[in-house]
Amino acid sequence: MIYIAITFAVLAFLNLYCSAVCQRLFYQSKEVAMVEKAQLAAAEISELDVLTPSAVSSSVNQMSSLKVTRFLITDQSGVVLYDSDPESAVGQYALLPQIVRAIEGNDVFTWDYHDGVMCSIAATPVVSYGITVGCVYMMEYDTELGALMKSLHQTILTITFILELLVILFSIAFAHAFSKRLGRIMNSMRIIQEGDYSHKVVMDGHDELSILGDEFNDLTERLQTSENKRRQFVSDASHELKTPLASIKLLSDSILQNDMDIETIREFVGDIGDEADRLNRMSQKLLDLTRGEAADQDTHEIVYMAPTVERVVRMLTTQAESSQIQIITELENDAPILIREDDLYQITFNLVENGIKYNLPGGKLTITLSRNEEYGILTVTDTGTGIPEDSIDHIFERFYRVDKARSRASGGSGLGLSIVRNMVERNQGQIHVQSTFGMGSSFTVEFPVFDTEAIDE
Ligand code: ADP
């Protein structure tokens, strides 16, 4: 609408301007011709000795054809001496404004255009020896010039109309295309508002709208990344929080249900305290992460793996017993490593728990610590279901579960091993798995040995 209004205003202005310029050109050419004709007639009349109607009339008759509609000659007081009109006004006063001004000594030209007819009037004084003695007045109805002006007006109007029509059509087409493309972006916004961050807006062309589309896609990509991170964070966090809570429940149940000596109770209560501390550290880490702060990096410690493994075993013994799994530990060959103790606990817990969950009644679970020059090695081997060969590459993926029914029944979410791998990697370790379907699996985790003696030397 704005385009149409602007072009309409511009075209209307051009239309008026062209018409005015044409009229001016016609006016000037007509003025020159008419005034010249009147001056020639006035020069002839001025040569007469006396201005009488008969003398003037005979002088006019000798003039070449004047081709005007009406031709008047008056004396200096405006009395008509000659009139070309059949209803002659000779002897009467003709005090027309043009005649009055001509008697005052001016060359006068006026015109009027109406209904395709141009009426032009020229009047000039008749001067004899420096004295105005009369006036020549000519009036001409020019239908030819009038028709020319009319057709010119019409042509300009037609061109204006066609141009405006083109502008309207162009504006409609342009507005339609523009709003269609804008609609595409708005539609994408709606889809993304509904939560589908993977949606991309496809904009062709190289204009501002396609740049907007690209920027929009960048934005949704970033949104998607942060949404994925948020989801991963929430699910990992709830999975990690589950472990200490389950341990606390298990330990307190054990204290309540079994007749224990005071030493064992003391040990179990100590473990409950440790789990509560771990829970506390986890919630602090979660708080730091939600505040956008990096998780505390300074909690790495040099630890031997055996105490952590023993603690995990203690936590899971009841679960193993109820599943009729025998846990065997070979922890003599321990090595010091630099690690976050909580991470080591979580890694061991997840691996041992899986070894129990995916084992068979009467099965075994062997936890071994060993070392070589470079690495401290934790191996968790079970005699359970094993992992099908085509699934081995996927078990560390988030939410991947081989036997969904069994995993769900045992409270699995498919997150445990992906958390384990993340923790192993962020502590500069490596994890490997060997498994034979139907026979059992063996998970090996290696961390660089942190030899304090080597440092001391
Ligand atoms: P879940 O919470 O389901 O146990 P994990 O990430 O810990 O998830 O494990 C992924 C999948 O790998 C499990 O669903 C299970 O099928 C398989 N898996 C893990 N550990 C073992 C194991 N020791 N023996 C056999 N299958 C295992």
Side-chain angles (χ1 to χ4, degrees):
M1 290 305 285
I2 290 171
Y3 273 126
I4 292 171
I6 291 173
T7 49
F8 182 77
V10 170
L11 286 173
F13 171 76
L14 280 177
N15 189 341
L16 288 175
Y17 181 74
C18 284
S19 298
V21 167
C22 289
Q23 278 197 18
R24 178 109 208 114
L25 283 175
F26 283 136
Y27 176 91
Q28 279 171 350
S29 70
K30 198 74 190 169
E31 181 184 27
V32 170
M34 287 282 284
V35 171
E36 209 169 83
K37 223 189 264 184
Q39 281 173 343
L40 276 174
E44 296 254 347
I45 304 294
S46 68
E47 281 171 15
L48 295 174
D49 296 333
V50 282
L51 290 188
T52 58
S54 56
V56 170
S57 178
S58 64
S59 174
V60 170
N61 288 338
Q62 282 165 21
M63 288 179 201
S64 50
S65 165
L66 288 168
K67 285 187 192 154
V68 288
T69 314
R70 196 166 186 189
F71 183 39
L72 288 177
I73 296 171
T74 71
D75 63 12
Q76 79 272 29
S77 54
V79 176
V80 177
L81 298 173
Y82 174 82
D83 186 355
S84 63
D85 197 78
E87 288 174 22
S88 174
V90 173
Q92 294 174 20
Y93 278 99
L95 295 174
L96 296 163
Q98 294 88 346
I99 291 177
V100 173
R101 288 190 56 211
I103 290 170
E104 283 167 6
N106 305 303
D107 286 332
V108 182
F109 178 76
T110 59
W111 84 340
D112 187 28
Y113 171 76
H114 198 66
D115 271 349
V117 180
M118 179 114 79
C119 172
S120 21
I121 295 169
T124 189
V126 177
V127 182
S128 177
Y129 299 106
I131 297 162
T132 303
V133 291
C135 155
V136 170
Y137 170 93
M138 287 175 180
M139 185 184 67
E140 191 182 285
Y141 283 115
D142 195 336
T143 46
E144 233 173 74
L145 200 63
L148 195 66
M149 278 203 49
K150 196 174 176 176
S151 85
L152 202 79
H153 272 149
Q154 268 168 358
T155 311
I156 292 174
L157 214 68
T158 313
I159 291 172
T160 307
F161 180 73
I162 291 170
L163 280 178
E164 188 59 31
L165 201 73
L166 285 175
V167 167
I168 290 174
L169 289 177
F170 172 77
S171 299
I172 290 172
F174 180 73
H176 184 252
F178 188 81
S179 58
K180 207 169 132 193
R181 300 179 76 211
L182 209 61
R184 231 186 282 167
I185 295 184
M186 281 164 65
N187 194 34
S188 300
M189 280 180 170
R190 248 170 259 130
I191 293 174
I192 284 154
Q193 247 174 29
E194 281 159 20
D196 180 4
Y197 293 106
S198 61
H199 179 81
K200 292 263 172 298
V201 55
V202 185
M203 300 294 288
D204 29 45
H206 300 284
D207 58 358
E208 282 83 355
L209 274 188
S210 55
I211 294 172
L212 183 72
D214 290 346
E215 295 281 332
F216 181 74
N217 286 341
D218 282 354
L219 189 73
T220 50
E221 224 168 86
R222 260 179 277 154
L223 268 179
Q224 189 177 15
T225 314
S226 78
E227 176 63 10
N228 287 348
K229 273 191 191 153
R230 191 186 66 80
R231 284 196 186 149
Q232 173 166 0
F233 173 69
V234 170
S235 48
D236 284 3
S238 39
H239 189 275
E240 281 188 53
L241 286 174
K242 238 168 54 183
T243 320
L245 283 174
S247 301
I248 290 174
K249 173 95 176 78
L250 201 83
L251 289 164
S252 54
D253 283 353
S254 305
I255 297 172
L256 289 175
Q257 285 160 15
N258 301 323
D259 270 341
M260 289 180 180
D261 56 79
I262 191 75
E263 265 316 300
T264 321
I265 292 177
R266 210 179 268 278
E267 197 182 321
F268 274 36
V269 172
D271 284 344
I272 290 177
D274 287 351
E275 289 302 295
D277 286 345
R278 204 153 71 85
L279 212 50
N280 205 11
R281 287 194 294 277
M282 274 182 193
S283 14
Q284 187 54 50
K285 193 175 94 182
L286 291 184
L287 272 178
D288 289 349
L289 284 170
T290 41
R291 284 200 206 108
E293 293 165 16
D296 191 357
Q297 299 292 318
D298 299 327
T299 48
H300 283 74
E301 332 162 43
I302 302 165
V303 293
Y304 279 88
M305 294 189 271
T308 310
V309 175
E310 278 163 358
R311 202 146 61 87
V312 170
V313 172
R314 212 164 38 239
M315 293 294 169
L316 291 170
T317 301
T318 322
Q319 192 179 331
E321 277 168 4
S322 65
S323 307
Q324 295 162 42
I325 311 297
Q326 184 193 356
I327 299 183
I328 302 161
T329 51
E330 293 162 8
L331 310 178
E332 299 76 36
N333 234 340
D334 200 359
I337 55 169
L338 183 69
I339 196 167
R340 286 190 56 197
E341 211 270 331
D342 283 348
D343 286 357
L344 180 62
Y345 183 91
Q346 190 74 50
I347 293 164
T348 318
F349 191 98
N350 284 3
L351 294 179
V352 175
E353 194 189 32
N354 278 354
I356 299 169
K357 272 195 312 194
Y358 302 108
N359 218 320
L360 303 167
K364 280 185 189 159
L365 179 72
T366 313
I367 307 168
T368 315
L369 289 181
S370 57
R371 65 166 295 172
N372 58 28
E373 284 284 294
E374 284 177 74
Y375 294 104
I377 305 161
L378 165 73
T379 313
V380 181
T381 309
D382 65 66
T383 54
T385 56
I387 303 162
E389 215 177 312
D390 54 348
S391 294
I392 289 188
D393 290 341
H394 301 289
I395 54 170
F396 293 104
E397 289 169 12
R398 292 169 56 72
F399 303 111
Y400 184 84
R401 292 173 301 182
V402 178
D403 180 348
K404 292 183 181 48
R406 186 184 175 118
S407 172
R408 203 170 26 245
S410 57
S413 59
L415 279 173
L417 285 181
S418 92
I419 293 174
V420 166
R421 187 171 63 177
N422 283 347
M423 286 182 169
V424 169
E425 282 172 1
R426 77 175 176 222
N427 288 287
Q428 281 72 51
Q430 294 170 24
I431 182 162
H432 310 285
V433 56
Q434 277 182 333
S435 184
T436 314
F437 190 48
M439 300 284 284
S441 317
S442 179
F443 287 83
T444 309
V445 185
E446 302 175 340
F447 293 107
V449 170
F450 201 85
D451 223 330
T452 40
E453 280 168 28
I455 292 173
D456 293 342
E457 276 167 28

